[in-house]
Amino acid sequence: MAERTLIIIKPDGIHRHLAGEIIRRFEKKGFKLAAAKFMQVSEELARQLYAVHQSKPFFEGLVKYLSSAPVLVTVWQAQGVIDMTRRMMGATFGYDAEPGTIRGDFGCSKGYNLVHGSDSPESAEQEIKLFFRPDEIIDYELADVDWLYGKND
Ligand code: DAT
Ligand code: MG
């Protein structure tokens, strides 16, 4: 099965009306949407998602940020989707991120950065489990799959 990743449109993405724009980029790239949930993340769940950053000075602020307003949690599927989505998101903060990336095009904050994306197959698997039951992730074939992934050789 092709790789999956967890992408969260964070509170600032929702409040700044950028959810559609962010989804549009992943959709047009050709990734398959496998799950989506609009929700308010509890502080406890935010702590679990960001557990690797527990000891960092910004951890508490990060937990507050993610749980402060609703988010749109999505799962996308494609071969190599983790690396591609990370590159499409850009560097962690908008002031460093290249133009053309999501963070580079829409943000310059030192705390808010619009979007979360898993950074490895292992973290993707763990993170997806935090937000979705197996039956909430939909397996289906895109109608244009041959045109999307076809090779000219
Ligand atoms: P990324 O979201 O690019 O994977 P990360 O995993 O290193 O970045 O950090 C997770 C989140 O923590 C990030 O989206 C924003 C926040 N963060 C990271 N470094 C920070 C810092 N130096 N100050 C404040 N927040 C930070
Ligand atoms: Mg990260």
Side-chain angles (χ1 to χ4, degrees):
M1 189 190 60
E3 191 172 82
R4 286 174 173 163
T5 192
L6 186 86
I7 299 289
I8 303 178
I9 296 149
K10 292 180 172 182
D12 50 327
I14 300 299
H15 274 283
R16 293 185 51 210
H17 316 277
L18 288 168
E21 169 67 33
I22 293 167
I23 284 175
R24 187 185 68 87
R25 291 182 176 216
F26 295 139
E27 221 186 353
K28 290 183 95 169
K29 178 76 171 169
F31 304 150
K32 178 159 68 178
L33 182 65
K37 194 178 280 189
F38 185 60
M39 63 184 286
Q40 179 108 21
V41 175
S42 66
E43 284 198 20
E44 191 192 329
L45 183 53
R47 279 175 208 284
Q48 285 177 283
L49 178 70
Y50 285 128
V52 292
H53 298 296
Q54 220 159 9
S55 59
K56 311 264 173 69
F58 57 82
F59 180 70
E60 284 304 319
L62 185 58
V63 166
K64 287 257 162 359
Y65 162 41
L66 195 76
S67 56
S68 63
V71 298
L72 186 59
V73 189
T74 58
V75 176
W76 296 86
Q77 187 171 319
Q79 209 61 56
V81 71
I82 294 173
D83 184 52
M84 287 188 278
T85 47
R86 293 289 299 184
R87 285 187 287 132
M88 290 169 74
M89 286 161 51
T92 297
F93 291 113
Y95 56 87
D96 283 330
E98 292 292 326
T101 64
I102 294 165
R103 288 162 167 174
D105 284 351
F106 301 117
C108 49
S109 159
K110 293 194 174 173
Y112 296 167
N113 59 0
L114 297 167
V115 67
H116 167 84
S118 310
D119 64 4
S120 68
E122 297 72 35
S123 57
E125 197 188 331
Q126 273 186 335
E127 292 175 2
I128 289 169
K129 269 194 226 152
L130 287 176
F131 290 90
F132 295 98
R133 299 190 311 268
D135 67 299
E136 291 177 315
I137 302 168
I138 315 293
D139 199 20
Y140 62 103
E141 183 107 319
L142 284 174
D144 60 357
V145 68
D146 291 340
W147 290 106
L148 270 172
Y149 304 119
K151 289 191 194 120
N152 186 22
D153 62 15

